[in-house]
Amino acid sequence: MASSSGNDDDLTIPRAAINKMIKETLPNVRVANDARELVVNCCTEFIHLISSEANEICNKSEKKTISPEHVIQALESLGFGSYISEVKEVLQECKTVALKRRKASSRLENLGIPEEELLRQQQELFAKDQFDSLDKHTQWGIDFLERYAKFVKERIEIEQNYAKQLRNLVKKYCPKRSSKDEEPRFTSCIAFFNILNELNDYAGQREVVAEEMAHRVYGELMRYAHDLKSERKMHLQEGRKAQQYLDMCWKQMDNSKKKFERECREAEKAQQCYERLDNDANATKADVEKAKQQLNLRTHMADENKNEYAAQLQNFNGEQHKHFYIVIPQIYKQLQEMDERRTIKLSECYRGFADSERKVIPIISKCLEGMILAAKSVDERRDSQMVVDSFKSGFEPPGDFPFEDYSQHIYRTISDGTISTSKQESGKMDAKTTVGKAKGKLWLFGKKPKGPALEDFSHLPPEQRRKKLQQRIDELNRELQKESDQKEALNKMKDVYEKNPQMGDPGSLQPKLAETMNNIDRLRMEIHKNEAWLSEVEGKTGVRGDRRHSSDINHLVTQGRESPEGSYTDDANQEVRGPPQQHGHHNEFDDEFEDDDPLPAIGHCKAIYPFDGHNEGTLAMKEGEVLYIIEEDKGDGWTRARRQNGEEGYVPTSYIDVTLEKNSKGS
């Protein structure tokens, strides 16, 4: 019996559930403990009876699990058909609750965390994850923007260095001209200098590209990156503040909830205490009243906390709805717009980067076209003609070398060695063109003497001298025209002053007019002098142009002797060949140096072979003729000699037998 009682206790309904049922069913009726025990036993017996009948029905149906239908059939077979409708309602309610529990079931059921807390944590994690993702993405966008800005900066440095190197290259190869004489004349040189100028312009365009990129792209990117950082920081701070405010609202709601829960537990304990004392026959009436007052107090506090919890819950739900449906979407939208603006700005910078290059393409194309035109302007014939004109001396080329017969040396008489010459020879030589007596002037067959440039350019070859004189005359004419224009302007100003004295004093212009007149007279004298020199050069050049050299066979037969080997010099211009030709033209050097003292004789020489001396600056001589030596051979194969009549010139050193004397008689 005791064992049966223990098993029944294990299968009975919990007393708390029976007490709750009694209170809900009979709230104003006091039930004794024995009556409560009786109710529990009756309920247990009823459950045993229904369970046994349902088990039999399940076995008859050959089922292994008692289903709700088996319980309903058991009620009907046992005569409790009036309970079937209520049982079905409870069954439907249980199914609904079970369905909800299955949907809300998860692994977190065993953690003991309330559903509201789990939902809040889920939302918090979601919001935090979203913010972290947006934080990373927006930071990546700014990093990419700054990386592109760094790329543009390095490109700008490349353009600047490239332009600088191009300018240094142009500066290195451009000539430093100090005067007009050093200006390039050849078309190839002019084309190269034009190419350098175009290259310098090209370098300038590279600098323009660098400046445009620095101003339009790099500078704009840096300013926008700074603004973007500030805007991103502001939006993220707003999101964090909103999340912190929501967390604060939840904490307030959670605290009120926990307080309400705590007060409910205290109220339940007070109720149990009151019920125990009320059911206890040994309890005094004062203890029961005290327990009742405590129950009422706890119930009142629980109601207040319930109201506070409800208010906090309503406030939290409103803030949560506002947070997730208004604040956070707005912040996300602002971040999205910020990221879209960043993308648009990158697109604009890409376009500006290309436009900076495209703007200078027409000018660069013109620079390249200028280089091509410079290449096409090269004229090889013109350059070669310039070389000819630049080095054209105007000297007459040497004639043919005469044949000399050495066999006639046998028939020479001793009278040929006299120092005097016949009148016929003297007359013949006097008719020949004489040369000047100034030392250092006759350099045309030897080395050009080193010394200061002369005013009349007589130190230059005839053709070069003519060009220099013509150039100087052109410059003087330009200066004369300038002075004449100035004189005309001064005269007009003087007339204006004379007509309108209030504008100025005409006498104040007189010094300037006098100075201008002096300059005009001086320039005219210079032009006249240079034109005289030019006429002299052109006259000589015309005379030389009429000369013609040919091999005269009769002359060679008359001479009857051959020039010996070793009589030629290294310089081709020092070879003197061909018969002499008589011209009445007066030599250019006689007028210039006719007053100079003659040079003293340093020895004498005897002509071994005849020399016609038809070139300018040379001296004709016959075989056996004796001449005075006034200047030794300087290594160029020519010796300067003089006749007794004072005629001077150069003779080939290999044609004479030289004897130097310290006390030789001068003329």
Side-chain angles (χ1 to χ4, degrees), residues 293-313:
Q293 291 177 1
Q294 186 69 20
L295 175 62
N296 293 332
L297 178 63
R298 290 296 180 181
T299 304
H300 178 70
M301 293 180 65
D303 292 339
E304 289 182 352
N305 286 284
K306 179 180 180 181
N307 295 331
E308 183 180 358
Y309 168 63
Q312 292 293 338
L313 180 63

Side-chain angles (χ1 to χ4, degrees), residues 13 15-26 39 43:
I13 299 175
R15 290 184 180 274
I18 295 297
N19 293 332
K20 186 176 180 181
M21 292 170 58
I22 292 173
K23 185 176 180 180
E24 290 178 355
T25 306
L26 304 171
V39 172
C43 290

Side-chain angles (χ1 to χ4, degrees), residues 8-9 11-19 21-22 33-48:
D8 290 342
D9 291 337
L11 299 176
T12 57
I13 299 175
R15 290 184 180 274
I18 295 297
N19 293 332
M21 292 170 58
I22 292 173
N33 292 334
D34 295 339
R36 293 175 187 274
E37 289 291 337
L38 181 60
V39 172
V40 170
N41 293 332
C42 291
C43 290
T44 304
E45 186 63 27
F46 180 75
I47 292 172
H48 287 175

Side-chain angles (χ1 to χ4, degrees), residues 491-551:
N491 287 329
K492 290 182 179 180
M493 188 179 296
K494 183 178 179 181
D495 294 339
V496 173
Y497 286 174
E498 289 176 352
K499 294 178 181 179
N500 302 305
Q502 67 274 12
M503 297 183 65
D505 184 13
S508 62
L509 301 176
Q510 193 61 34
K512 190 65 177 178
L513 278 171
E515 182 182 356
T516 305
M517 292 298 297
N518 292 334
N519 291 337
I520 291 175
D521 294 340
R522 177 179 56 80
L523 291 173
R524 285 176 177 172
M525 291 177 62
E526 289 289 334
I527 292 173
H528 179 71
K529 181 170 62 174
N530 283 273
E531 286 179 347
W533 288 335
L534 181 62
S535 300
E536 180 184 347
V537 174
E538 290 177 346
K540 286 197 306 177
T541 306
V543 171
R544 291 194 195 95
D546 294 337
R547 298 179 181 175
R548 296 291 182 269
H549 304 289
S550 61
S551 57

Side-chain angles (χ1 to χ4, degrees), residues 131 134 231 234-236 238-239 242 321-338:
F131 258 86
L134 291 177
E231 184 180 0
M234 180 185 67
H235 293 325
L236 293 179
E238 290 178 355
H321 184 275
K322 180 181 178 182
H323 178 81
F324 286 103
Y325 287 93
I326 299 176
V327 178
I328 292 299
Q330 184 177 1
I331 294 175
Y332 287 172
K333 184 178 180 181
Q334 292 174 350
L335 290 173
Q336 181 182 3
E337 292 175 354
M338 181 191 72

Side-chain angles (χ1 to χ4, degrees), residues 257-437:
K257 176 184 176 182
K258 290 179 179 179
K259 190 175 180 181
F260 170 63
E261 184 180 3
R262 185 171 61 251
E263 292 297 332
C264 288
R265 285 196 301 267
E266 292 294 332
E268 186 176 355
K269 289 181 181 179
Q271 183 179 1
Q272 292 177 358
C273 181
Y274 169 73
E275 290 177 353
R276 187 178 70 253
L277 291 175
D278 189 30
N279 295 327
D280 189 2
N282 298 324
T284 63
K285 186 176 181 180
D287 293 336
V288 174
E289 288 297 329
K290 184 178 179 181
K292 185 176 181 180
Q293 291 177 1
Q294 186 69 20
L295 175 62
N296 293 332
L297 178 63
R298 290 296 180 181
T299 304
H300 178 70
M301 293 180 65
D303 292 339
E304 289 182 352
N305 286 284
K306 179 180 180 181
N307 295 331
E308 183 180 358
Y309 168 63
Q312 292 293 338
L313 180 63
Q314 184 179 2
N315 179 56
F316 173 75
N317 289 333
E319 293 296 334
Q320 181 176 255
H321 184 275
K322 180 181 178 182
H323 178 81
F324 286 103
Y325 287 93
I326 299 176
V327 178
I328 292 299
Q330 184 177 1
I331 294 175
Y332 287 172
K333 184 178 180 181
Q334 292 174 350
L335 290 173
Q336 181 182 3
E337 292 175 354
M338 181 191 72
D339 193 65
E340 290 176 355
R341 290 197 306 271
R342 177 190 63 82
T343 307
I344 293 173
K345 177 60 67 173
L346 277 174
S347 176
E348 293 175 354
C349 291
Y350 294 160
R351 191 180 300 109
F353 186 85
D355 288 340
S356 301
E357 191 82 25
R358 186 172 59 183
K359 285 181 179 179
V360 300
I361 287 178
I363 303 178
I364 291 178
S365 300
K366 290 182 180 179
C367 293
L368 298 177
E369 290 176 1
M371 294 181 185
I372 294 175
L373 292 176
K376 292 181 179 179
S377 66
V378 176
D379 189 351
E380 68 281 0
R381 293 186 177 275
R382 181 180 175 185
D383 287 355
S384 60
Q385 187 61 38
M386 283 185 181
V387 175
V388 173
D389 295 340
S390 298
F391 298 102
K392 185 178 180 181
S393 64
F395 291 147
E396 185 179 355
D400 296 335
F401 199 85
F403 174 80
E404 297 183 6
D405 189 2
Y406 290 95
S407 62
Q408 292 187 5
H409 287 279
I410 305 173
Y411 304 105
R412 287 187 305 173
T413 61
I414 195 66
S415 61
D416 294 335
T418 60
I419 198 166
S420 62
T421 57
S422 63
K423 294 182 179 180
Q424 182 180 0
E425 293 170 356
S426 178
K428 183 178 180 181
M429 290 304 175
D430 291 341
K432 186 175 180 63
T433 304
T434 60
V435 296
K437 302 175 183 178

